[in-house]
Amino acid sequence: KNEVEQSPQNLTAQEGEFITINCSYSVGISALHWLQQHPGGGIVSLFMLSSGKKKHGRLIATINIQEKHSSLHITASHPRDSAVYICAVRNFGNEKLTFGTGTRLTIIP
Amino acid sequence: EPEVTQTPSHQVTQMGQEVILRCVPISNHLYFYWYRQILGQKVEFLVSFYNNEISEKSEIFDDQFSVERPDGSNFTLKIRSTKLEDSAMYFCASRRVGQPQHFGDGTRLSIL
């Protein structure tokens, strides 16, 4: 069973700040997902990673397989980035995703 | 961009009643999933479905739950006799091989 931990649980920052959200897991995985959940509840997939780094616009996701750790970075944060960011992992040979508890991000104008 | 569509957005049902939650996955996707999120808690995996059969299910997915892909486009989750603790947001997701999952907007199920 994979234990997925995220930190921080809550993060409030000023517009324009560089944001980092962390995720660690206990068992080796085949893939890690970063998801965004808005107040209405809908979930959007941001990244799927199995190694290295991915970038999409102002969002960057990195993963260190040896350390079982991933980070999600947001550059030049904006109030519309306010959401819950969730890390989820898939173990080898499984279909299921195991989710972290999420990080609630609030960006203040 | 194609989307996963879930209906209804909110379902209110009396305890003990059967409920069917409906999902239309993205048309060329082959893997289908149901998840639930109890208010204030993390998202939990219920079941995955591939090639017209369940490929994996969690401990939550007991005999009260069933899934079906009746007509090649819809993917349904049935809860046979609902309990108060089934109240949650239920998410459907689908994906292609090697690609991330796409999630629907969810159905909020309230059991009275």
Side-chain angles (χ1 to χ4, degrees):
Chain A
K1 184 182 174 187
N2 218 329
E3 302 290 337
V4 180
E5 301 285 338
Q6 284 187 239
S7 63
Q9 287 191 320
N10 293 283
L11 177 56
T12 299
Q14 293 288 334
E15 183 173 354
E17 283 190 42
F18 181 80
I19 302 299
T20 296
I21 298 170
N22 297 298
C23 174
S24 61
Y25 50 93
S26 57
V27 177
I29 58 171
S30 61
L32 181 143
H33 298 250
W34 280 104
L35 309 163
Q36 182 190 55
Q37 186 171 31
H38 277 281
I43 295 173
V44 174
S45 179
L46 299 175
F47 295 103
M48 183 175 77
L49 291 166
S50 52
S51 64
K53 178 178 171 177
K54 286 191 175 179
K55 184 175 190 290
H56 185 250
R58 295 180 294 106
L59 272 58
I60 302 164
T62 62
I63 188 167
N64 185 317
I65 297 295
Q66 286 74 33
E67 294 187 4
K68 297 186 179 64
H69 180 269
S70 175
S71 294
L72 176 69
H73 305 285
I74 304 174
T75 61
S77 58
H78 190 276
R80 66 175 174 264
D81 297 326
S82 297
V84 175
Y85 291 84
I86 303 171
C87 170
V89 301
R90 182 151 65 98
N91 291 353
F92 290 105
N94 284 150
E95 278 297 325
K96 67 178 277 187
L97 290 180
T98 302
F99 292 76
T101 51
T103 294
R104 183 174 300 278
L105 174 66
T106 304
I107 304 297
I108 299 170
Chain B
E1 186 175 327
E3 291 180 343
V4 175
T5 306
Q6 288 188 244
T7 55
S9 55
H10 191 191
Q11 172 84 44
V12 181
T13 300
Q14 292 287 335
M15 187 172 61
Q17 296 294 306
E18 175 184 284
V19 66
I20 297 176
L21 309 182
R22 301 181 192 280
C23 170
V24 179
I26 295 173
S27 62
N28 61 352
H29 287 191
L30 299 177
Y31 297 84
F32 313 109
Y33 307 85
W34 283 101
Y35 297 91
R36 80 171 185 192
Q37 186 177 33
I38 295 170
L39 187 64
Q41 298 186 23
K42 58 184 173 182
V43 179
E44 300 172 288
F45 169 80
L46 290 177
V47 66
S48 60
F49 192 87
Y50 170 72
N51 201 25
N52 282 319
E53 62 183 21
I54 291 173
S55 50
E56 194 173 343
K57 61 182 181 179
S58 72
E59 315 79 56
I60 303 166
F61 194 88
D62 61 21
D63 293 343
Q64 294 289 86
F65 291 87
S66 61
V67 290
E68 202 175 33
R69 189 157 160 79
D71 56 12
S73 63
N74 290 284
F75 180 51
T76 61
L77 174 70
K78 183 193 290 187
I79 309 175
R80 194 146 41 96
S81 177
T82 49
K83 306 183 191 72
L84 293 176
E85 54 265 37
D86 293 326
S87 295
M89 189 78 133
Y90 287 81
F91 292 100
C92 172
S94 69
R95 71 175 179 93
R96 293 188 301 174
V97 173
Q99 296 296 311
Q101 296 179 27
H102 293 248
F103 289 79
D105 285 341
T107 293
R108 183 169 300 283
L109 177 63
S110 300
I111 307 299
L112 304 179

